[in-house]
Structure formats: structure tokens, C-alpha cells
């Protein structure tokens, strides 16, 4: 082959490669990976609508045993979960055996033991759906409905890293007080005709209780992860200082990601990409309060970053706190599978999927319309950020193929 022909052929190959990357950034590339991601998306769509009439009739296992068997190093529940609706219904209706003050933390919660010995966390309603939390993006009380919405967003994004959550109405007089510990009972009080409690936590005050409507309290119930999967707590590398006038390094150093990449467990394995996935997740829900995170213990860095404690979300639909995306725009990298899923959720598909998923929940409507619209708007911002990264860093450096499927033990 003559030199001129070789040059022409090389230019053609380079052009095709460039076009392939453009198609990838359009979310329309046709590769084995993209076809796999599209099949996974269609499965998610098919399983999005859950039935409130679902019951476990084909097995002698309890719903807690089934959910426990789902957990693995890289997922809290598998891609296909025909029993999910039945497990969530059990979570929202099982009899309480014990109620105690919440485990450590800054926000009000109760630790419940359900029929069969299953531990769950109950977070009470604090705000009406249309309430706007002003101030800092991490301000205000926990939002119980945010936990419910975040779980279903986790399903839609295909992360499967959030514990199961469902909304629940609790009759405090009939269900909780008869099985409450003395410590929890001592925090009950009455305001007008409403029964209230303030629990025990860093910010819990008798002057700021959570109150039922009469005896009926709305809240969220989060399934406790199995004890055979002990958790390890980590300081988030992009955590805030929470001190006025004092910035964290990432807030003034644009090259901060390069330093993070040299620190374990971010120097190898999936953890850094998990942090970036989580930043996208948190930006969509408006959660600027992930100062720590949990993984499973003794994982060698392979465990997923578990999406726990999402209640400081959906506080202000008009606020798009871009600093939450710092791991994405400072590292300029994202999983191909995440990018493909986000592209499939463009043009209103994300809010439509959320509406469909949330109609199942007993406390629906879970989110006010402005929060659903905010999801679509923020998604557009994420896609624009990735595109900008690709233009400045190159698609090969921005879109990372990283698919980890660790077997269950």
C-alpha cells in the first residue's frame, strides 16, 4: 500500500473513532456495552410499577430473609427482584415488637424491631410536601419523604446501593407506645390533640418534637442492613467543614482530585467512581450533607459506597447546588454505564419514571411537582458537565469502562 493511501486510511480510521466518541457523548453509540445497558434500562422500566397487593405466597422464607439474601458487595438488591413489592409492603405493615430511641446521630429517629426480629429505622414527618427549606443546602430537619424518593431514584439509576425504604403511617398510641422503651416513652408529650415525641439525638429538643395528626404519624421506614455485612465509616473526601469562613481544600483547589487519586482506597478499585456516582445522585436530589459515607468492612476497597441517610434531600426545588458535583467536574470522569443510563433518562424521562415508581408508596404523593421538575433540570446540568469534561479532557479519559460483578458469598 502506497504511503498516500496509508495516510488516507489512517485519517479515515481517526475520523471514525472521533465520530464514535461523538455518538457516545450523544448517548447513542451502539456497542455491546451500550446494548447491555439498554437491556438493563428496559428491565428497570418493566419492573418500575409495584403492586400494593403483592404478598409472598411462593416461599416459606420471611421477607427479611429474602432481602438479606439480596445483599452483596456491590448491590443491596439485585437487578431483578420480583419480591420487592411484597418485601416493601411487609416493611410498611409488619407489627412492631419494640420501639427505642434512634441510634447515634444528629436527627430524630426511632429504632424499631418488627415482627420476626427485623430492625428498621423510623423517621417521622417534619414538613408538608410544599415546604421550602431555606438557608444552607444542608439546613433543616430530616425529610422522611426524601428517604423514600431517594430509594426509588437509586432503582431508576440502576445503582442499587440504597437500603430499602417505604412510607408508613404509625398509630403512636396503638402501635408504638405499648412496645416503647422507657427511654423513648419519656420523650412523648402532647400538643393540643396531637401526640408527639422528640427522642434522643444531638439536635433533639423537647421544644422541637415531631407530632402526629392526633395519634397517626406519617414517616419512613428503612430496612436495616444484615448484621453479617458490618459497615465501615469513611470521611468523605469532598466533605464540607460546616464552619463559617473555613473552606475545605476541594473548595479552593481545582486540582484536588489529583491528590485524592493518590490516597487509598481511591488510588485503585471502584471507590472513586462510586464517589462520582454518588455526587451525581446527591446533586439530583439536592443532598449537600454527605460528610461521611459507609462501605462494608474488610472489603479491600471493592465494596460499593452505600447510599445511606438521604433525608437531607429535596429541601429546596429551586436550588441547584453545583458544589455537590465537585467530584465529577474536578475529576472529569464517570462510568460509561452511568453515562448511558443518564442519557436514557433525558427529556423528562427521569421525572416520569419517578412519578411512576412513587405511586406505589403508601404516603404518596411523595414529592411535590417542583421537585420532580428539578430532577430533569439537574440531570441536564450533569450531562452538560460530562460533555464539557469530554471536550476538555477527551472522551477516552472521561468515560470509564468499569463494570464490577462480585459474586455473593
Amino acid at each position: 500500500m502506497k504511503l498516500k493511501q496509508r495516510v488516507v486510511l489512517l485519517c479515515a480510521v481517526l475520523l471514525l473513532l472521533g465520530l464514535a466518541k461523538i455518538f457516545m457523548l450523544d448517548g447513542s453509540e451502539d456497542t455491546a456495552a451500550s446494548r447491555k445497558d439498554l437491556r438493563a434500562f428496559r428491565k428497570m422500566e418493566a419492573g418500575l410499577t409495584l403492586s400494593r397487593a403483592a404478598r409472598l405466597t411462593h416461599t416459606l422464607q420471611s421477607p427479611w430473609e429474602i432481602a438479606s439474601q439480596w445483599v452483596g458487595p456491590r448491590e443491596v438488591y439485585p437487578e431483578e427482584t420480583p419480591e420487592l413489592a411484597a418485601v416493601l409492603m411487609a416493611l410498611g405493615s409488619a407489627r412492631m415488637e419494640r420501639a427505642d430511641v434512634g441510634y447515634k446521630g444528629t436527627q430524630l429517629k426511632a429504632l424499631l424491631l418488627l415482627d420476626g426480629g427485623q430492625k428498621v429505622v423510623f423517621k417521622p414527618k417534619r414538613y408538608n410536601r410544599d415546604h421550602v427549606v431555606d438557608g444552607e443546602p444542608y439546613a433543616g430537619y430530616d425529610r422522611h419523604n426524601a428517604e423514600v424518593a431517594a430509594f426509588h431514584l437509586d432503582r431508576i439509576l440502576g445503582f442499587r446501593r440504597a437500603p430499602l425504604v417505604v412510607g408508613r403511617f404509625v398509630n403512636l398510641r396503638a402501635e408504638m407506645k405499648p412496645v416503647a422503651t422507657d427511654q423513648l416513652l419519656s420523650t412523648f408529650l402532647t400538643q393540643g390533640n396531637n401526640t408527639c415525641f422528640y427522642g434522643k439525638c444531638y439536635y433533639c429538643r423537647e421544644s422541637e418534637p415531631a407530632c402526629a395528626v392526633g395519634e397517626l404519624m406519617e414517616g419512613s421506614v428503612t430496612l436495616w442492613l444484615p448484621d453479617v455485612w458490618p459497615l465501615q465509616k469513611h470521611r468523605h473526601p469532598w466533605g464540607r467543614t460546616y464552619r463559617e469562613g473555613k473552606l475545605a481544600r476541594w473548595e479552593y483547589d481545582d486540582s484536588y482530585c489529583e491528590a485524592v487519586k493518590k490516597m487509598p482506597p481511591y488510588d485503585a478499585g471502584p471507590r472513586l467512581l462510586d464517589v462520582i456516582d454518588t455526587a451525581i445522585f446527591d446533586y439530583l436530589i439536592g443532598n449537600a450533607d454527605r460528610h461521611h459515607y459507609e462501605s462494608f468492612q474488610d472489603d479491600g476497597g471493592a465494596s460499593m459506597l452505600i447510599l445511606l441517610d438521604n433525608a437531607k434531600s429535596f429541601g429546596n426545588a429551586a436550588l441547584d447546588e453545583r458544589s455537590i458535583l465537585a467530584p465529577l467536574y474536578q475529576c472529569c470522569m464517570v462510568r460509561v454505564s452511568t453515562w448511558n443510563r443518564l442519557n436514557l433518562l433525558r427529556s423528562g424521562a427521569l421525572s416520569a419514571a419517578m412519578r411512576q415508581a412513587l405511586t406505589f408508596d403508601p404516603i404518596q404523593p411523595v414529592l411535590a411537582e417542583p421537585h420532580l421538575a428539578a430532577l430533569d433540570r439537574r440531570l441536564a446540568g450533569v450531562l452538560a458537565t460530562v460533555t464539557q469534561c469530554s471536550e476538555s479532557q477527551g472522551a477516552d479519559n472521561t468515560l470509564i469502562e468499569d463494570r464490577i460483578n462480585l459474586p455473593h458469598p
Side-chain angles (χ1 to χ4, degrees), residues 184-237:
L184 179 59
L185 274 176
S186 68
T187 72
F188 273 79
L189 53 91
T190 301
Q191 289 188 353
N193 295 322
N194 302 322
T195 299
C196 314
F197 74 95
Y198 57 91
K200 183 179 180 181
C201 68
Y202 186 82
Y203 290 122
C204 289
R205 304 285 187 273
E206 184 175 356
S207 58
E208 301 179 20
C211 293
V213 177
E215 300 286 351
L216 197 63
M217 175 171 279
E218 180 183 319
S220 66
V221 178
T222 302
L223 189 68
W224 197 273
L225 289 168
D227 291 338
V228 296
W229 291 95
L231 300 181
Q232 181 175 350
K233 194 169 188 175
H234 309 264
R235 183 177 296 278
H236 197 298

Side-chain angles (χ1 to χ4, degrees), residues 266-298:
Y266 312 106
D267 56 346
R271 188 63 57 80
L272 181 56
L273 287 167
D274 280 0
V275 168
I276 293 168
D277 278 349
T278 302
I280 293 170
F281 177 81
D282 283 339
Y283 179 70
L284 292 174
I285 64 179
N287 178 19
D289 195 44
R290 204 174 295 279
H291 43 81
H292 290 79
Y293 69 84
E294 284 82 14
S295 70
F296 292 130
Q297 281 184 9
D298 303 322

